[in-house]
Amino acid sequence: MDQSKQQEEDFGYNLFPDRHTRKFKKGSVSESLFTFNHKCQVMLHFALETSPYAKLLLGAMKQSGCTVYKDRHFSCEDCDGIVSGGFDATSSQIVLCQNNIHQQSHMNRVVTHELIHAFDHCRAHVDWFNNFKHLACSEIRAANLSGDCSFGNEAARFNFGLKQHHQACVRDRALRSILAVRKVTQEEAEKVVDEVFDSCFNDHAPFGRIPHSKKDANFAYREFQNRDRYFANL
């Protein structure tokens, strides 16, 4: 097998076929008419403008020198049926699976999840392809901070628990994400998640706390804005 083809499969790029075989020119009338692209673009715009999760992450990335531009850093594409989105580190671009995202709440979570990866890429220079611990850490943070494991989402999945249920959900979703994009065994994925779990679970940047709800995210965003105003007056 061609080495580049093997690498694409090993790193999960086969989940995003439009990365290499786009039928229509991006942004063209044909694309808007024959795909879910227009709806995806509208929901993306709404997420970036109204979600406190997204607004905080965008502000934190700008502060870190990594300003995000909608047309440059987001791409609505058709994807494999098992994924909702992804972060392409080679192009610093977030892929949104327009054929799999049909509700605004889902779009908000996917945008937040992938923006956390983008934030980690900006601030920590994550080695996505050669350091398995880096990937695991970012997946733990994304599951922990994006709302993926909120009570409402877990209830919708019929997952219930009391003691440390949030931690169990974060661990499970991080494992699922790793196994979706890397050709590794369940045991290998579990081992690396266990090695970094405590430190990465307790890294709440840039939120400062785990935003369990939109109310928590709004509070964190207001704190971030006030912190910016404070430093601006120094």
Side-chain angles (χ1 to χ4, degrees):
M1 180 181 290
D2 180 80
Q3 185 176 4
S4 62
K5 179 66 174 176
Q6 180 65 54
Q7 287 177 336
E8 287 175 9
E9 292 184 356
D10 288 345
F11 296 133
Y13 280 104
N14 58 309
L15 300 175
F16 309 105
D18 275 7
R19 295 275 86 189
H20 305 291
T21 58
R22 184 178 294 277
K23 293 181 179 180
F24 305 115
K25 182 180 179 182
K26 183 173 174 58
S28 69
V29 174
S30 297
E31 185 180 44
S32 297
L33 289 174
F34 293 100
T35 72
F36 298 111
N37 186 265
H38 179 69
K39 181 179 178 181
C40 177
Q41 293 290 346
V42 171
M43 289 195 295
L44 169 61
H45 177 79
F46 194 79
L48 297 179
E49 292 296 321
T50 66
S51 168
Y53 293 88
K55 290 195 291 185
L56 194 157
L57 285 159
L58 292 171
M61 290 184 67
K62 183 177 181 179
Q63 189 178 77
S64 299
C66 300
T67 301
V68 176
Y69 299 99
K70 177 177 175 288
D71 292 338
R72 162 63 181 86
H73 294 106
F74 293 91
S75 181
C76 290
E77 303 178 7
D78 287 338
C79 307
D80 182 88
I82 65 172
V83 293
S84 298
F87 177 67
D88 185 349
T90 60
S91 62
S92 297
Q93 193 169 49
I94 289 171
V95 181
L96 301 169
C97 298
Q98 60 195 18
N99 56 320
N100 294 331
I101 303 174
H102 304 296
Q103 296 180 337
Q104 187 62 52
S105 59
H106 188 191
M107 174 64 79
N108 292 352
R109 291 198 307 276
V110 175
V111 167
T112 301
H113 185 108
E114 302 307 335
L115 276 174
I116 291 169
H117 290 323
F119 174 77
D120 288 346
H121 186 69
C122 171
R123 68 158 184 161
H125 306 292
V126 178
D127 187 349
W128 301 98
F129 305 108
N130 300 306
N131 193 319
F132 203 10
K133 290 183 179 180
H134 284 192
L135 171 65
C137 188
S138 191
E139 290 296 355
I140 290 166
R141 280 177 31 78
N144 189 27
L145 302 173
S146 66
D148 286 349
C149 289
S150 69
F151 176 80
N153 287 329
E154 279 293 270
R157 302 178 190 118
F158 299 100
N159 291 331
F160 301 96
L162 295 175
K163 188 176 181 180
Q164 294 190 322
H165 180 73
H166 181 77
Q167 289 91 326
C169 173
V170 169
R171 187 185 299 272
D172 178 67
R173 295 193 70 79
L175 283 170
R176 288 170 179 264
S177 294
I178 291 169
L179 292 171
V181 299
R182 292 292 185 274
K183 285 191 173 181
V184 295
T185 66
Q186 178 84 18
E187 291 73 20
E188 289 172 323
E190 289 177 350
K191 181 176 184 294
V192 73
V193 166
D194 287 342
E195 288 175 351
V196 302
F197 188 83
D198 287 342
S199 61
C200 299
F201 181 82
N202 290 303
D203 179 1
H204 303 150
F207 293 91
R209 62 178 61 77
I210 299 174
H212 290 288
S213 65
K214 188 175 180 180
K215 181 179 178 181
D216 290 342
N218 268 313
F219 187 80
Y221 180 54
R222 287 196 300 269
E223 274 197 337
F224 175 79
Q225 288 179 305
N226 290 334
R227 185 168 64 245
D228 277 355
R229 293 189 187 105
Y230 171 79
F231 287 122
N233 291 326
L234 291 180

